[in-house]
Amino acid sequence: LPPDLQTAVDRLGAAAAEVHAAERALTLAALKAAGNNRTRAARLLGIPDRTMFRRVAALGLDAPPAPPNVPPQLRI
């Protein structure tokens, strides 16, 4: 690729990573504010419930929490 096109591709990759990080942080904050209730979190963000369920799954946030008796090094 020409250098200026490679620079644009690199910037796009960096921007995509920032958007992903921001989406993850926003989703986590909404879930925390909603007491991990995905439907309420979706309403807080103003998005459809199905979108929230898909976003949670895509971000890998849908794993159930480990029971309190599981040592921290074995938690997911």
Side-chain angles (χ1 to χ4, degrees):
L1 291 174
D4 49 337
L5 183 56
Q6 184 60 50
T7 301
V9 169
D10 292 343
R11 285 185 184 168
L12 182 60
E18 288 183 36
V19 168
H20 179 76
E23 183 178 87
R24 182 178 176 83
L26 189 60
T27 301
L28 286 170
L31 286 167
K32 183 177 180 181
N36 285 326
N37 182 305
R38 294 178 210 171
T39 301
R40 278 191 257 150
R43 289 186 187 136
L44 286 172
L45 294 175
I47 61 175
D49 297 351
R50 292 299 306 151
T51 300
M52 178 56 107
F53 279 80
R54 287 186 195 107
R55 183 178 291 176
V56 166
L59 294 173
L61 303 175
D62 58 354
N69 60 343
V70 174
Q73 64 271 25
L74 299 178
R75 295 180 187 205
I76 297 175

